Amino acid sequence: MNYFIADTHFYHYQLLEPNNFAPRHFGNVDEMNQAMIDAWNARVDENDRVYHLGDISMRPQNTPTDEETYDMLRQLNGHMTLIKGNHDYRSLFKFLDKHNETMADGKPRFEFEDVGSLLKFDHHQFYCTHYPMLLGKVDKIINLHGHIHHYAVPIAENINVGVDAPERDYLSEDLPWGSPLRGEEILEMYAKKQKDMARLQRDAR
């Protein structure tokens, strides 16, 4: 099964502070990191794949070492396709590739994409990128993205899958904070966002 997530920002202690960008209400960064690990591993098993849409880890003024980020990722279940975010350095991807490991199914733990991935799900296409894309008029194409944390693009076809994303409020199931999202949940978010955007357009007339 495929899952989707973005903007984990492991180690990013400044997000613990009261802020309007991505407030994370934990006592310390260790609690925040562990909450994401627990939520991830509760859903994902070793045969699943998680598309991580950028910004794995961050520590302002003292960037986590490649080894620290590698050790964090090794605590997470499944295969990972890592799409480069603006806080993911080339050196990190080189380090992860050098220390990549083969899983029980014979496939590597990590795969890497500089710009994005395209995959099909239930007659839809998911364009997975870190930055939101403006796709124009499309049919059954959804841009899954991160980068903007607690904000949403006011277009139904743009779905923020970050851990802080407001689109998560559309889900009928109250998932633990930091949970990767399934394809079915993406489509639920998309359908409800479509209705919201249509209502806003009617109200604006």
Side-chain angles (χ1 to χ4, degrees):
M1 183 177 293
N2 293 326
Y3 291 85
F4 306 89
I5 198 168
D7 299 315
T8 45
H9 279 246
F10 288 109
Y11 302 107
H12 195 170
Y13 62 86
Q14 287 185 335
L15 296 183
L16 301 175
E17 300 172 1
N19 64 82
N20 294 323
F21 186 57
R24 299 184 177 183
H25 305 295
F26 294 92
N28 55 61
V29 75
D30 291 335
E31 291 179 6
M32 180 187 77
N33 289 346
Q34 193 61 52
M36 287 188 284
I37 293 170
D38 292 345
W40 180 304
N41 290 339
R43 307 201 93 191
V44 178
D45 68 31
E46 291 302 316
N47 296 314
D48 294 327
R49 175 167 298 278
V50 181
Y51 288 80
H52 192 303
L53 277 54
D55 287 4
I56 301 166
S57 63
M58 183 178 178
R59 185 191 293 138
Q61 290 86 47
N62 183 14
T63 302
T65 65
D66 296 338
E67 291 87 347
E68 285 178 306
T69 300
Y70 174 65
D71 289 341
M72 183 67 66
L73 291 176
R74 290 193 70 206
Q75 298 180 59
L76 303 173
N77 291 341
H79 301 274
M80 299 176 212
T81 296
L82 303 175
I83 296 169
K84 189 176 182 299
N86 56 302
H87 293 297
D88 298 320
Y89 297 100
R90 183 76 56 197
S91 64
L92 171 62
F93 278 22
K94 288 182 177 178
F95 184 91
L96 295 176
D97 191 34
K98 181 179 179 180
H99 295 85
N100 214 342
E101 58 186 313
T102 301
M103 306 285 276
D105 60 4
K107 299 177 182 178
R109 178 183 290 273
F110 304 119
E111 293 182 356
F112 308 93
E113 297 286 351
D114 277 347
V115 177
S117 292
L118 172 64
L119 63 154
K120 295 180 180 180
F121 180 81
D122 193 17
H123 308 293
H124 290 75
Q125 292 187 37
F126 291 166
Y127 280 14
C128 301
T129 59
H130 178 63
Y131 302 99
M133 297 175 63
L134 296 180
L135 298 173
K137 188 174 181 179
V138 294
D139 181 35
K140 295 187 179 297
I141 297 176
I142 305 172
N143 174 214
L144 311 188
H145 65 85
H147 187 60
I148 56 176
H149 289 262
H150 199 55
Y151 295 90
V153 176
I155 299 171
E157 286 73 24
N158 291 82
I159 299 294
N160 185 353
V161 299
V163 298
D164 310 305
E167 281 96 329
R168 288 173 177 260
D169 291 341
Y170 287 125
L171 293 173
S172 54
E173 180 181 358
D174 187 16
L175 298 176
W177 181 84
S179 298
L181 299 167
R182 299 187 180 109
E184 295 88 350
E185 290 160 343
I186 300 294
L187 295 185
E188 178 185 5
M189 294 158 71
Y190 172 54
K192 292 179 179 177
K193 189 174 182 182
Q194 274 186 314
K195 291 181 180 179
D196 258 6
M197 294 299 101
R199 177 181 54 79
L200 290 172
Q201 288 179 354
R202 288 195 303 270
D203 292 346
R205 291 171 186 167

